[in-house]
Structures are given as structure tokens and as C-alpha cells.
Amino acid sequence: MASIGVAVIGFGWMGRAHTRAYARIGHHYPRLPRPELIAVADDVPGRAAEAAGQYGFATATTDWRALLDDPRIAAVSVTAPNFLHREIGAAFAAAGRHLWIEKPVGLSAADARAIVGDVRISVGFNYRHAPAVARAREILRTGGLGRVTHARFRFFSDYAAAPDSALSWRFERARGGSGVLGDLGSHAADLIRHLLGEVVAVTADTAVFITERPRPAGATSGHQRGTGEPGPVENEDWFAALLRMRSGARVTLEASRVAAGEQNHYGFTVHGTGGVLSWDFRRTGELRIGDATVFVGPGDGAHGDFQPGAGIPLGFDDLKVIEAGLFLRSIAEGVPHGATLADAIAAAAVLDAVTESAASGRWVTL
């Protein structure tokens, strides 16, 4: 099987997740091109070299620009902080490299639109790939719930609930964008569109509940405690929105990064004229349909690529393997599979409307 040279730009938690996903492609998708780990780039001293030693990258560098002309690289994972997505993505797309780029693809819809090139671009909206979500989408697509009337989507986490969480780039407007909107809200906006279609109008509110945090003592990866001087939190901890769908359905969406006691409480409930279904990421292999719990199995989404029977749930890293497989399939076949740049632009437009509505106090039409 032919191989494809890949580079990973940014080696925090998500860079590691992408790399692990590439390593497992041959296990689950043996007919796809095999990813060859050519290069890793990270500007934190020592991090790229450590990644090369642990995962087997052929090249390590602190400057991603040094990789733009590397002929060995055909595809690039962009897993650097949000504010770098536009610059890195646009540069590699212009250089003819295919992109697997993490959400939210920059700080706004304008950032996502700036990435242009005759290449395949996949976006890291991993929750849409859960087999239970695939089953829910099929039920909704075939009218199994009748006409959808209203739905609730929730994305609650407590990764920033501690007041001494380090003031990393995630809390700065210039580098982290709109806070929880870009972080959890981008996933929610994509999931809403994936299941229910297009959003046509939004009204919303946002809030910052922890207004100061201590600065980190050094480079951060993930969510760590800070020990330095306090600094201001510049972007949103929480938001809630009411969405009008093109179908006529109404959706309520709430997301928080400071929901104490809520660890990755992501999911949805959809009501229709013929019933109700719901899903909770923490019970990823289950779908609640009416008053019954259904365990998803090999006939649902990509479940069969991982497990032979129902009742064996997939995990977060499995969803990233599915995503990597869709990215490589897009390259091999020359047509998009999975979440695309157009999906990222549409999700970002919803979040831009949320920000505008919160500022104006009015409904915003998309």
C-alpha cells in the first residue's frame, strides 16, 4: 500500500492525538495510504525533538515554515493554537499540501475563509463521527422522529472551573478568540448543522465568570494550574443561544468551560412529532430513543471498523482515527469525506452571530 508523508504542526495534546491516529490507520483502514511521519514542528524548546524520539518522526523543528518546501510532505495536521490556524493553514494550502486542521480553524469565519488551495481540507469535528451520532442522523434523515420541533444541545466542561487555572493562550482574545465559543461552541454548532440542517437566526448571551487567572510558570499543554501574577481573562466562559433552523425547528444551546463538576458533559436531545432521541458523549455507545436505550453496533457509522458487536463503546481517540481515515480517503479519492472547510466556515458563522447578538441584544440573521 502506498504511503503518504505527513507533518504535525503543534505538539500539545491534540498534536499527540493526531499522531496516535495516524499510527493506527493500518489497523483499522488497511486499504488506505499509510501515513509516514515525516516531520513535527513546535516552538516550545525541546518539545518537537521529544515527539520525534517518542513517535518516530524523521525530522523535528521549532519553525514550521522550514517544512513548507519539504518534498516528502504531502499532508499536514494543523494542531497549533487557534490564532495560528489561519497563517499555517493558508501557507500549506498555498504550497499544495492537504490539511487536517483542528477546529475552530482560526478565530472567525473570515480566518477559515482565508485558507484557499486546490487541496483536500478536513476539520477536527470529532463528535459527529461517534457511531451513535451516525445512527441518530440516519433516524432524523429518514423521518424516524417525524418533523423535528425543538432540540437542546449542551457542551459543559469544568477544565477552567478552578480559579487558579493557568492564564494560557486560551483565555486571551488575540490568541484564543472567543473562548468557550471557539472551543466547545464550534463542536456544538457543527453537531447541530450535521443533525438538523442550517441555522438561519440566533439570539444569545455570553459571560465571563472568572475574570482573573494566574499566569503560567512555563509552556502549557492542556489545562494546568498557574503560579504567576494574575492577569485578565479576555474571552467568554459561558454562552447560551436560541437558534432558529431553516426547517422551522428551534434549538437551545448552552456551553460552559467553568461548569464545576461537569467533566465533558456533551450531548443533545431532539424532539419531533413522532418521538425523542438523546445522546451523551460520556455514554458514547448508547442512544436513547423514546424510553429505550439502544447500544450501537457494526451497522452504525464506523463502529464495525473497530468492534465486532454492539455494547463495546468507542473512545475519543477512536473518533480521531475515524477522522484521520476520512482525511486520507479524501486524498486518495480526490473527493471530500467527513467534515470539510465549508463546515468550519458555517459553524464559525453561527458563532460570529452569537457574538454579535450578545453584544447587540438582538436577533442576528445568518
Side-chain angles (χ1 to χ4, degrees), residues 178-226:
S178 54
V180 73
L181 276 79
D183 187 9
L184 302 181
S186 59
H187 279 303
D190 178 69
L191 206 54
I192 289 168
R193 292 184 60 254
H194 186 62
L195 292 173
L196 302 178
E198 298 303 326
V199 179
V200 296
V202 172
T203 187
D205 191 19
T206 64
V208 180
F209 295 123
I210 301 175
T211 58
E212 285 190 338
R213 296 180 183 275
R215 300 186 187 280
T220 60
S221 178
H223 311 293
Q224 301 166 357
R225 296 293 194 264

Side-chain angles (χ1 to χ4, degrees), residues 18 21-26 28-33 35 100 122 129 302 305-306 317-333 335-338:
H18 277 227
Y22 285 133
R24 293 175 56 192
I25 284 295
H28 302 281
Y29 302 107
R31 293 179 178 81
L32 290 176
W100 178 14
S122 295
H129 302 308
D305 297 321
F306 295 80
D317 277 17
D318 296 322
L319 303 186
K320 300 310 283 189
V321 176
I322 295 169
E323 220 173 81
L326 292 168
F327 174 47
L328 294 169
R329 184 181 171 195
S330 298
I331 296 171
E333 298 181 1
V335 294
H337 295 281

